[in-house]
PDB file of all heavy atoms in Angstrom:
ATOM      1  N   ARG A  61     136.118 112.677 102.565  1.00 97.00           N
ATOM      2  CA  ARG A  61     134.717 112.666 102.863  1.00 97.00           C
ATOM      3  C   ARG A  61     133.956 113.606 101.956  1.00 97.00           C
ATOM      4  O   ARG A  61     132.901 113.100 101.338  1.00 97.00           O
ATOM      5  CB  ARG A  61     134.462 113.167 104.354  1.00 97.00           C
ATOM      6  CG  ARG A  61     132.938 112.923 104.833  1.00 97.00           C
ATOM      7  CD  ARG A  61     132.958 113.672 106.263  1.00 97.00           C
ATOM      8  NE  ARG A  61     133.248 115.129 106.234  1.00 97.00           N
ATOM      9  CZ  ARG A  61     132.313 116.023 105.818  1.00 97.00           C
ATOM     10  NH1 ARG A  61     131.158 115.740 105.431  1.00 97.00           N
ATOM     11  NH2 ARG A  61     132.855 117.336 105.761  1.00 97.00           N
ATOM     12  N   GLN A  65     131.581 112.232  98.699  1.00 98.00           N
ATOM     13  CA  GLN A  65     130.150 112.493  98.720  1.00 98.00           C
ATOM     14  C   GLN A  65     129.646 113.242  97.540  1.00 98.00           C
ATOM     15  O   GLN A  65     128.500 113.170  97.037  1.00 98.00           O
ATOM     16  CB  GLN A  65     129.816 113.194 100.059  1.00 98.00           C
ATOM     17  CG  GLN A  65     129.845 112.371 101.263  1.00 98.00           C
ATOM     18  CD  GLN A  65     129.459 113.084 102.534  1.00 98.00           C
ATOM     19  OE1 GLN A  65     129.123 114.368 102.622  1.00 98.00           O
ATOM     20  NE2 GLN A  65     129.623 112.469 103.692  1.00 98.00           N
ATOM     21  N   LYS A 131     127.268 108.963 102.082  1.00 96.00           N
ATOM     22  CA  LYS A 131     126.131 109.969 101.907  1.00 96.00           C
ATOM     23  C   LYS A 131     126.146 110.458 100.335  1.00 96.00           C
ATOM     24  O   LYS A 131     127.206 110.501  99.757  1.00 96.00           O
ATOM     25  CB  LYS A 131     126.215 111.173 102.773  1.00 96.00           C
ATOM     26  CG  LYS A 131     125.891 110.771 104.303  1.00 96.00           C
ATOM     27  CD  LYS A 131     125.627 112.026 105.132  1.00 96.00           C
ATOM     28  CE  LYS A 131     125.101 111.680 106.437  1.00 96.00           C
ATOM     29  NZ  LYS A 131     126.148 111.027 107.417  1.00 96.00           N
ATOM     30  N   SER A 134     120.814 114.917  99.536  1.00 98.00           N
ATOM     31  CA  SER A 134     119.491 114.650  99.815  1.00 98.00           C
ATOM     32  C   SER A 134     118.660 114.969  98.682  1.00 98.00           C
ATOM     33  O   SER A 134     117.597 114.174  98.436  1.00 98.00           O
ATOM     34  CB  SER A 134     119.111 115.567 101.000  1.00 98.00           C
ATOM     35  OG  SER A 134     119.534 116.879 100.782  1.00 98.00           O
ATOM     36  N   ASN A 160     127.138 126.862  95.837  1.00 96.00           N
ATOM     37  CA  ASN A 160     127.996 126.204  96.735  1.00 96.00           C
ATOM     38  C   ASN A 160     129.286 125.917  96.095  1.00 96.00           C
ATOM     39  O   ASN A 160     130.350 125.799  96.817  1.00 96.00           O
ATOM     40  CB  ASN A 160     127.153 124.836  97.075  1.00 96.00           C
ATOM     41  CG  ASN A 160     128.154 123.898  97.744  1.00 96.00           C
ATOM     42  OD1 ASN A 160     128.809 123.085  97.120  1.00 96.00           O
ATOM     43  ND2 ASN A 160     128.173 123.875  99.082  1.00 96.00           N
ATOM     44  N   SER A 230     126.285 122.111 112.198  1.00 97.00           N
ATOM     45  CA  SER A 230     127.120 121.619 111.212  1.00 97.00           C
ATOM     46  C   SER A 230     128.543 121.209 111.684  1.00 97.00           C
ATOM     47  O   SER A 230     129.487 122.041 111.743  1.00 97.00           O
ATOM     48  CB  SER A 230     127.307 122.696 110.046  1.00 97.00           C
ATOM     49  OG  SER A 230     128.376 122.437 109.100  1.00 97.00           O
ATOM     50  N   ASN A 232     131.080 119.664 110.603  1.00 97.00           N
ATOM     51  CA  ASN A 232     132.232 119.514 109.718  1.00 97.00           C
ATOM     52  C   ASN A 232     132.683 121.095 109.297  1.00 97.00           C
ATOM     53  O   ASN A 232     133.728 121.155 108.684  1.00 97.00           O
ATOM     54  CB  ASN A 232     131.990 118.704 108.452  1.00 97.00           C
ATOM     55  CG  ASN A 232     131.722 117.239 108.879  1.00 97.00           C
ATOM     56  OD1 ASN A 232     132.460 116.623 109.493  1.00 97.00           O
ATOM     57  ND2 ASN A 232     130.461 116.923 108.464  1.00 97.00           N
ATOM     58  N   LYS A 242     136.022 124.958 102.916  1.00 96.00           N
ATOM     59  CA  LYS A 242     134.851 125.761 102.744  1.00 96.00           C
ATOM     60  C   LYS A 242     135.172 127.215 102.845  1.00 96.00           C
ATOM     61  O   LYS A 242     135.940 127.518 103.756  1.00 96.00           O
ATOM     62  CB  LYS A 242     133.878 125.418 103.852  1.00 96.00           C
ATOM     63  CG  LYS A 242     133.067 124.038 103.634  1.00 96.00           C
ATOM     64  CD  LYS A 242     132.272 123.629 104.834  1.00 96.00           C
ATOM     65  CE  LYS A 242     130.776 123.966 104.689  1.00 96.00           C
ATOM     66  NZ  LYS A 242     130.007 123.101 105.586  1.00 96.00           N
ATOM     67  N   ASN A 246     127.246 127.182 105.575  1.00 98.00           N
ATOM     68  CA  ASN A 246     126.045 126.553 104.886  1.00 98.00           C
ATOM     69  C   ASN A 246     124.995 127.731 104.949  1.00 98.00           C
ATOM     70  O   ASN A 246     124.289 127.848 103.851  1.00 98.00           O
ATOM     71  CB  ASN A 246     125.511 125.481 105.798  1.00 98.00           C
ATOM     72  CG  ASN A 246     126.474 124.222 105.829  1.00 98.00           C
ATOM     73  OD1 ASN A 246     127.531 124.299 105.121  1.00 98.00           O
ATOM     74  ND2 ASN A 246     126.057 123.162 106.536  1.00 98.00           N
TER      75      ASN A 246
HETATM   76  N1  LIG B   1     122.556 115.927 101.541  1.00 66.56           N
HETATM   77  O1  LIG B   1     128.840 119.388 108.808  1.00 66.56           O
HETATM   78  P1  LIG B   1     127.937 119.476 107.623  1.00 66.56           P
HETATM   79  C1  LIG B   1     124.934 118.743  92.369  1.00 66.56           C
HETATM   80  C2  LIG B   1     125.632 115.905 105.573  1.00 66.56           C
HETATM   81  S1  LIG B   1     126.026 118.361  93.460  1.00 66.56           S
HETATM   82  C3  LIG B   1     123.097 114.787 102.238  1.00 66.56           C
HETATM   83  O2  LIG B   1     127.467 120.872 107.327  1.00 66.56           O
HETATM   84  P2  LIG B   1     129.800 119.626 105.384  1.00 66.56           P
HETATM   85  C4  LIG B   1     125.114 118.756  90.836  1.00 66.56           C
HETATM   86  C5  LIG B   1     127.099 116.060 105.602  1.00 66.56           C
HETATM   87  O3  LIG B   1     127.666 115.177 104.631  1.00 66.56           O
HETATM   88  C6  LIG B   1     125.308 118.497  95.122  1.00 66.56           C
HETATM   89  N2  LIG B   1     123.967 114.942 103.360  1.00 66.56           N
HETATM   90  O4  LIG B   1     128.750 118.922 106.447  1.00 66.56           O
HETATM   91  C7  LIG B   1     123.949 118.237  90.207  1.00 66.56           C
HETATM   92  C8  LIG B   1     127.457 115.605 107.053  1.00 66.56           C
HETATM   93  O5  LIG B   1     127.451 114.189 107.147  1.00 66.56           O
HETATM   94  P3  LIG B   1     128.937 113.337 107.492  1.00 66.56           P
HETATM   95  C9  LIG B   1     126.308 117.986  96.095  1.00 66.56           C
HETATM   96  C10 LIG B   1     124.194 116.252 103.673  1.00 66.56           C
HETATM   97  O6  LIG B   1     130.408 118.778 104.507  1.00 66.56           O
HETATM   98  C11 LIG B   1     122.882 119.052  89.888  1.00 66.56           C
HETATM   99  C12 LIG B   1     126.362 115.983 107.793  1.00 66.56           C
HETATM  100  O7  LIG B   1     125.280 116.215 107.021  1.00 66.56           O
HETATM  101  N3  LIG B   1     127.187 119.109  96.280  1.00 66.56           N
HETATM  102  O8  LIG B   1     123.835 119.056  92.798  1.00 66.56           O
HETATM  103  C13 LIG B   1     123.686 117.387 103.069  1.00 66.56           C
HETATM  104  O9  LIG B   1     130.649 120.664 106.179  1.00 66.56           O
HETATM  105  C14 LIG B   1     121.714 118.566  89.193  1.00 66.56           C
HETATM  106  C15 LIG B   1     126.545 117.412 108.665  1.00 66.56           C
HETATM  107  O10 LIG B   1     126.669 118.463 107.617  1.00 66.56           O
HETATM  108  C16 LIG B   1     128.370 118.871  97.020  1.00 66.56           C
HETATM  109  O11 LIG B   1     128.562 117.760  97.631  1.00 66.56           O
HETATM  110  C17 LIG B   1     122.794 117.180 101.975  1.00 66.56           C
HETATM  111  N4  LIG B   1     122.276 118.145 101.225  1.00 66.56           N
HETATM  112  O12 LIG B   1     128.869 120.606 104.491  1.00 66.56           O
HETATM  113  C18 LIG B   1     123.845 116.864  89.709  1.00 66.56           C
HETATM  114  C19 LIG B   1     129.222 120.043  97.283  1.00 66.56           C
HETATM  115  N5  LIG B   1     124.178 118.502 103.615  1.00 66.56           N
HETATM  116  O13 LIG B   1     129.806 113.440 106.212  1.00 66.56           O
HETATM  117  C20 LIG B   1     122.708 116.521  88.914  1.00 66.56           C
HETATM  118  C21 LIG B   1     130.439 119.795  98.033  1.00 66.56           C
HETATM  119  C22 LIG B   1     124.961 118.095 104.665  1.00 66.56           C
HETATM  120  O14 LIG B   1     129.556 114.089 108.618  1.00 66.56           O
HETATM  121  C23 LIG B   1     121.675 117.331  88.679  1.00 66.56           C
HETATM  122  N6  LIG B   1     130.140 119.631  99.477  1.00 66.56           N
HETATM  123  N7  LIG B   1     124.972 116.732 104.693  1.00 66.56           N
HETATM  124  O15 LIG B   1     128.471 111.953 107.751  1.00 66.56           O
HETATM  125  C24 LIG B   1     129.905 120.609 100.407  1.00 66.56           C
HETATM  126  O16 LIG B   1     130.098 121.855 100.027  1.00 66.56           O
HETATM  127  C25 LIG B   1     129.611 120.215 101.723  1.00 66.56           C
HETATM  128  O17 LIG B   1     129.941 118.832 101.893  1.00 66.56           O
HETATM  129  C26 LIG B   1     128.093 120.419 102.220  1.00 66.56           C
HETATM  130  C27 LIG B   1     127.790 120.037 103.715  1.00 66.56           C
HETATM  131  C28 LIG B   1     127.733 122.015 102.169  1.00 66.56           C
HETATM  132  C29 LIG B   1     127.164 119.737 101.346  1.00 66.56           C
END
Side-chain angles (χ1 to χ4, degrees):
R61 184 189 63 78
Q65 286 180 5
K131 290 191 172 71
S134 50
N160 166 275
S230 165
N232 301 300
K242 280 174 104 158
N246 298 358

